[in-house]
Amino acid sequence: MSTENEGTVVPPAPSAPPVPVETPAASPQATAHEAPTTPLPPVPSGAPGVPEPEPAHTAQVPAYASAGAPEAGQAAGPGPEAGAWPPPQPPTTSAYMDGGGGASYAGGGGGDTGTPWGATYDQQPPKPKSGRGGLFAAVLVAALVAGGLGGGLGYTLAKDNDDSTTSTTVSASQQSGGDLKRDAGTVAGVAAKALPSTVTIEAEGSNGEGGTGTGFVFDTQGHIVTNNHVVADAVDGGKLTATFPDGKKYDAEVVGHAQGYDVAVIKLKNAPSDLQPLTLGDSDKVAVGDSTIAIGAPFGLSNTVTTGIISAKNRPVASSDGSASSKASYMSALQTDASINPGNSGGPLLDASGNVIGINSAIQSSSSGGLGTGQSGSIGLGFAIPINQAKYVAQQLIKTGKPVYAKIGASVTLTEGTGGAQISQKSTDTADPVESGGPAAAAGLKPGDVITKLDDHVIDSGPTLIGEIWTHKPGDKVQITYERDGKSKTVELTLGSREGDS
């Protein structure tokens, strides 16, 4: 497919509270945690006239309960450690959950600590009850509620009220949360700005079949950019709708689609006049480790926001829906670990500033389904079409309704892991693998040559070469490195063009 508590009643004060005595023998123990409201504990061991307690047994602490647990070798009993005051809180634990195939389309259907007193002290002889003694005890117990810092405050209050005979109550001030403001650069800030410009797309074919995907506002005229495979069912006489996060739903039509690039443009019918196109970034300047934010409708859950990073760049991906009639799409993709699932397809992949850097398109997933649907889900390997490429394609589709592809004028084998892209061998039943008069022929390439680099990008297979070529525009000059008869050579060629899906 991811109060304000009432205070505990203060116990009655003892006739003579224990008073800490400053000694040079301060305990080296770690700072004590905030203590609960309890009666004053018995005098620690080591005070005159007090018998030594039985030694506490040590306990084995499981790894998952280590948070707040005693260190190895420390006593695990309920009593405080000798010389430590106030006593520590009980340990807390955190609950933790224990914890294919090729790329496929992603669309279609502790509390604060106070300073411990930490020193042994002598029991003082009983004193007559007085206003000061009762006040000190009451304030001290109340101070335990507020922690170690409150203890110091309580002592100061008692000293300042030396001659007072009235009762004093110390209570924590109540604070309201106030207005919560989120900076524009936070994930919440980016999402709040981008969500109103994303839509959930529902495509239904004439046969009643279809699915759900995502798109985003491309311009103020009502053009929405998405994936080809999101709208493919509605291309020939189907039904297409786009729903905004505020619930407003519009009928739409396909303006143009590019199966090879897996990019499509649709246009809203009766588009509103207040559309806010998302800002397009520069995918060429993206770096591995940059933060990413993905928006989509995974498993139909519209307006879902997930986060991650750029895991890799220029990742060669050939994706399809797995059906026998499906043709593969090729991309030199941005890889991200932001959670992408079926329904995310066509949605924007944003950078930390909210600029679109890619179109979420495909995932590498395990064979298991998600949420009982039988569909594969995210395992942290998502792929997006770089926005620089998608922008060019979208502009061509809006202008002419047809995609334009860059080409070298040669056919290559689509076998992966061959150490390069091999130009197909000539056979009698196929067209010439090197187009006569085309860019490859003009550069001297021949059938059987193995292309190993395009500019500074290593080419390891035919699909990788196609993906790299399609990141360029017709007319771009590129450097092709190839091997023939064990020798390597580099030539320059000017990319040609092909219109439409073949």
Side-chain angles (χ1 to χ4, degrees):
M1 175 208 189
S2 239
T3 67
E4 182 178 281
N5 295 323
E6 295 296 333
T8 305
V9 177
V10 177
S15 59
V19 179
V21 177
E22 182 178 357
T23 70
S27 170
Q29 297 298 323
T31 302
H33 288 281
E34 178 179 303
T37 303
T38 60
L40 293 175
V43 178
S45 60
V50 180
E52 293 293 326
E54 290 294 327
H57 296 285
T58 58
Q60 295 295 328
V61 181
Y64 56 81
S66 59
E71 295 292 329
Q74 289 184 344
E81 195 168 340
W85 182 263
Q89 289 182 334
T92 59
T93 61
S94 297
Y96 296 93
M97 295 180 65
D98 295 332
S104 60
Y105 292 137
D112 295 333
T113 58
T115 302
W117 293 348
T120 59
Y121 56 90
D122 296 328
Q123 179 70 30
Q124 299 298 312
K127 295 181 179 179
K129 293 184 179 181
S130 67
R132 176 181 178 182
L135 175 62
F136 181 84
V139 172
L140 178 59
V141 175
L144 291 177
V145 180
L149 179 60
L153 176 61
Y155 181 80
T156 301
L157 289 174
K159 181 178 180 181
D160 292 343
N161 289 275
D162 186 44
D163 298 328
S164 175
T165 58
T166 59
S167 175
T168 302
T169 301
V170 177
S171 61
S173 61
Q174 297 180 357
Q175 298 182 3
S176 60
D179 294 334
L180 181 60
K181 296 182 179 179
R182 294 179 175 88
D183 295 335
T186 63
V187 173
V190 170
K193 183 177 180 180
L195 275 168
S197 297
T198 62
V199 297
T200 299
I201 298 173
E202 294 182 5
E204 183 179 327
S206 56
N207 58 359
E209 296 182 355
T212 300
T214 309
F216 62 91
V217 177
F218 187 69
D219 59 28
T220 58
Q221 285 72 49
H223 290 109
I224 305 293
V225 172
T226 185
N227 281 139
N228 172 74
H229 72 266
V230 170
V231 303
D233 289 326
V235 169
D236 298 319
K239 181 181 179 181
L240 199 63
T241 61
T243 305
F244 285 85
D246 61 3
K248 293 181 180 179
K249 190 172 186 176
Y250 298 86
D251 291 331
E253 59 185 356
V254 177
V255 172
H257 60 104
Q259 181 273 324
Y261 290 122
D262 196 20
V263 174
V265 176
I266 66 174
K267 187 175 183 180
L268 304 178
K269 297 179 180 179
N270 301 315
S273 60
D274 58 349
L275 290 175
Q276 296 294 324
L278 291 183
T279 303
L280 305 185
D282 186 347
S283 51
D284 289 340
K285 295 181 179 180
V286 171
V288 173
D290 282 351
S291 297
T292 58
I293 302 170
I295 300 179
F299 296 102
L301 302 176
S302 300
N303 315 315
T304 295
V305 177
T306 57
T307 63
I309 62 169
I310 292 294
S311 303
K313 295 179 60 178
N314 305 311
R315 185 70 78 191
V317 175
S319 61
S320 70
D321 61 11
S323 65
S325 60
S326 175
K327 295 182 179 180
S329 299
Y330 300 94
M331 68 185 89
S332 182
L334 297 176
Q335 180 181 326
T336 181
D337 65 347
S339 183
I340 296 175
N341 287 286
N344 273 104
S345 278
L349 183 68
L350 310 172
D351 62 18
S353 297
N355 303 310
V356 182
I357 55 175
I359 301 177
N360 301 316
S361 181
I363 58 174
Q364 179 85 21
S365 65
S366 60
S367 59
S368 60
L371 299 180
T373 64
Q375 292 177 297
S376 298
S378 172
I379 57 172
L381 297 173
F383 305 97
I385 303 168
I387 195 59
N388 289 6
Q389 176 184 2
K391 176 183 176 181
Y392 166 74
V393 177
Q395 290 172 336
Q396 290 295 321
L397 294 176
I398 293 172
K399 182 178 180 180
T400 68
K402 296 181 180 181
V404 177
Y405 297 90
K407 69 174 186 177
I408 64 171
S411 299
V412 295
T413 60
L414 298 180
T415 304
E416 297 187 15
T418 57
Q422 184 178 36
I423 299 178
S424 302
Q425 298 286 353
K426 187 175 182 179
S427 63
T428 57
D429 57 351
T430 61
D432 194 333
V434 178
E435 178 185 324
S436 179
L445 295 175
K446 297 180 179 180
D449 290 346
V450 179
I451 298 174
T452 58
K453 291 183 70 175
L454 189 152
D455 292 331
D456 58 348
H457 297 287
V458 175
I459 304 300
D460 59 2
S461 65
T464 301
L465 177 63
I466 296 173
E468 283 297 330
I469 291 173
W470 285 355
T471 63
H472 294 77
K473 301 175 183 179
D476 287 351
K477 295 182 183 296
V478 296
Q479 300 288 323
I480 297 290
T481 301
Y482 67 95
E483 292 181 355
R484 180 191 300 169
D485 300 328
K487 296 181 180 180
S488 180
K489 187 177 180 179
T490 299
V491 295
E492 183 182 82
L493 61 78
T494 302
L495 296 174
S497 67
R498 170 174 63 86
E499 186 178 276
D501 287 311
S502 60

